[in-house]
Amino acid sequence: MPHELTADQRATLCAVCDTVVPSLPRDRDPHGLWGRSASDVGADEAVAQQIAALPEELAAGLGQLLDALAAQGFAQASQLSREQLLRNLALASADAAGGVAALTSLTLFFAYGLPDAAGRNPNWPAFGYAGPASAPPQDERRLVPLVPDGDTTLEADVVVVGSGAGGGVIAGRLAARGLRVVVLEAGGAYEEPDFCQLELWAYQHLFYRGGPTPTADQNVSVQAGSCLGGGTVINWTNCLRTKPWVREQWARDFGLSDVATPAFDAHMDAVWARLGVNPDCSDLNGPQERMRAGAEALGWSFRRTDRNADPARYDAVSAGYMGFGDQSGSKQSTAKTYLADAAAHGARILCRTRAARVLVEDGRAAGVAAAYADPETGASAAVTVRAPQVVVACGALESPALLLRTGIGGDAVGRHLRLHPCTATFGLYQDDQRAWWGPPHAGLVDEWANATGDGYGFLIEGAQYTTAVAASAIPFTSAADHKAAMEGFSHAATFIGLLRDQGGGRVTIDADGEAVHTYDLEAEPRDVALTRRALDAQVRCHEAAGAHTIHTMAEGLPTWRRGDDLEAYIARIQRIPLRAGGMRLFTAHQMGTCRMGADPATSVANPDGELHDTPGVWIGDASAFPTPSGTNPMITIMALAHRTADRIAAAAGAAAPAADTLTPA
């Protein structure tokens, strides 16, 4: 049951929200940004609803925190005293600090991201952001999932759990080779008619756990897809081939010998062609133009990226919203390519169907036990798929959880979680950057992709324009400082430093079988050193591009202004701890938790992708990566899945392979 706050707790919550985003006097306030409080836009109500949806223990803890503030006369205190009371409470304990941070972050998230009935937030005009550019098209839906009518048992040759970059490719390839395929997707099915270009809607419907969510140790904010098509529906369509040094490492150290040969090139080429990857839809928005200018001034390597976008449908304005679902239909996600191929060849696709465990009989795969639940209708059913081949492709956060619930895969399950952890900086420039226009990521600096000489380094990339996530990610020092940062948001360009990590985290499960993720970047000194180099490079790139102010996304929001000592600033931010309470870390790439390799002691699956200890169970997503790709991983995931599909087909006695199907979009 939802945990409802008491009337007194609701009143204190409203006071907290209006402390984080208060109404402050300002002589010049053309858009009302300074005078508008959190409660003026309904943020307090939205935060209360979020608390009600939390697990009972967490919701009760936040209620106790509100009671503690009320006992100190919080609602009656001045603005400055309220801010001090929040700081004091955060010092009381780690739990109290987490509670204050959660209330602060949620308030900022909704104050700047919550749309009104017309689909607009009154703060957006201050950023030069108009919100949704167009209404969703009323196109015909292409994929119609199977809806169980009561408890259901299906028979198949292959059941694929997950429909993203890996699962979608495998489903399409195996169905085209004549195998009976069933796809199970935990999320819902959404297409262009659903994509309203709203950030909060996207998090609620397309993202894992409802949007950015912290690791259990609070060190990293995680984003991942959870819908039909998975991450390919919400990603930024960067198509980067697997680096030679990564392929050589996987062949040399993990037994994937063919990955370092032209055979793997053929898999990448096939995926490249099926997605229609091209260089013609890579317009640079303001932040990426600043990145290019900074790189050129410093003599660094900058390159435009190829993208899986259909030029006939591409629209630069619509592309700015692609992280919320691509309304134009240009993005060639698995839903529009390989899953469409699978459906055309008779595959059955079930959405809202979460796999509970893999069925194992006589030591080998026998199918999947799952549960269907539709939150809109309330319908539910037990779903059993009987199949001798099971593909686990739930993503690197959930694939290990499925194996752990089943009790298969060996000791390496859940270990070696790699995240490509990102730091972020944003520079303020003289002109409006129009960061909401164009592809979020059409260019990058790859000067240090192999910074160490042995395949490890970092990229400097751009980021999707958001208001809710951006506001909540900007560290809160005071209400006035945060409003000032948001006031300059239209002139901001965000750079991220994406690390190819050598250390790793872990995925375990709790008492209810739910995935628990932990990650400590500071446990690996080499990652610390490269992250500090990435921060150095981001700052220098902003300065060379002409930024007059640079902020680092870290506690206290360290700031450099032109005329300050740049070297001293870089040295200062490099001393910030790379964990909760210090640097803000983000990830959109999760890999390695069911990795492939020749040694069962250190890997889950063999070099073909089949579990060492359970024949017939295959790993088909980024969790199979022996080490991180060091680039946006979609093409590597798909090429590896294309390769794994051939192994599964051979094991299942399928027909000879054919070229990838080209199902009309």
Side-chain angles (χ1 to χ4, degrees), residues 432-483:
D432 186 340
Q433 296 302 296
R434 300 179 75 235
W436 43 264
W437 180 91
H441 187 275
L444 58 83
V445 175
D446 58 359
E447 181 76 13
W448 301 275
N450 187 11
T452 62
D454 62 353
Y456 287 87
F458 58 89
L459 304 175
I460 298 178
E461 299 187 339
Q464 167 82 39
Y465 180 89
T466 64
T467 57
V469 162
S472 62
I474 295 173
F476 182 86
T477 55
S478 73
D481 287 346
H482 197 279
K483 286 220 175 194

Side-chain angles (χ1 to χ4, degrees), residues 9-60:
Q9 289 171 338
R10 288 290 292 267
T12 304
L13 175 63
C14 184
V16 169
C17 293
D18 283 348
T19 300
V20 176
V21 183
S23 175
L24 296 175
R26 194 76 165 183
D27 290 339
R28 185 179 180 279
D29 189 16
H31 300 289
L33 177 75
W34 287 86
R36 192 174 298 110
S37 70
S39 61
D40 287 339
V41 299
D44 57 321
E45 294 292 330
V47 175
Q49 292 174 19
Q50 286 295 112
I51 293 174
L54 290 172
E56 176 66 24
E57 182 180 358
L58 294 177

Side-chain angles (χ1 to χ4, degrees), residues 380-467:
S380 62
V383 175
T384 302
V385 183
R386 304 288 303 182
Q389 309 293 336
V390 174
V391 179
V392 177
C394 326
L397 301 176
E398 286 293 330
S399 285
L402 176 57
L403 297 186
L404 289 168
R405 289 194 296 268
T406 306
I408 59 176
D411 292 340
V413 172
R415 300 182 188 274
H416 311 293
L417 172 64
R418 271 55 182 266
L419 296 180
H420 284 167
C422 297
T423 51
T425 59
F426 65 96
L428 298 181
Y429 295 81
Q430 292 298 327
D431 300 322
D432 186 340
Q433 296 302 296
R434 300 179 75 235
W436 43 264
W437 180 91
H441 187 275
L444 58 83
V445 175
D446 58 359
E447 181 76 13
W448 301 275
N450 187 11
T452 62
D454 62 353
Y456 287 87
F458 58 89
L459 304 175
I460 298 178
E461 299 187 339
Q464 167 82 39
Y465 180 89
T466 64
T467 57

Side-chain angles (χ1 to χ4, degrees), residues 12 31 56 71 78 113 192 228 233 262 319 381 430 450 460 541 643 663:
T12 304
H31 300 289
E56 176 66 24
S78 68
E192 286 87 343
L228 187 63
V233 173
Q430 292 298 327
N450 187 11
I460 298 178
C541 194
R643 171 185 183 271
T663 302

Side-chain angles (χ1 to χ4, degrees), residues 2 20 24 36 108 182 221 223 272 307 481 500 505 585 640:
V20 176
L24 296 175
R36 192 174 298 110
L108 296 169
V182 170
S221 177
Q223 294 189 34
W272 204 264
R307 300 177 51 243
D481 287 346
R500 185 179 185 225
L585 299 174
L640 200 62

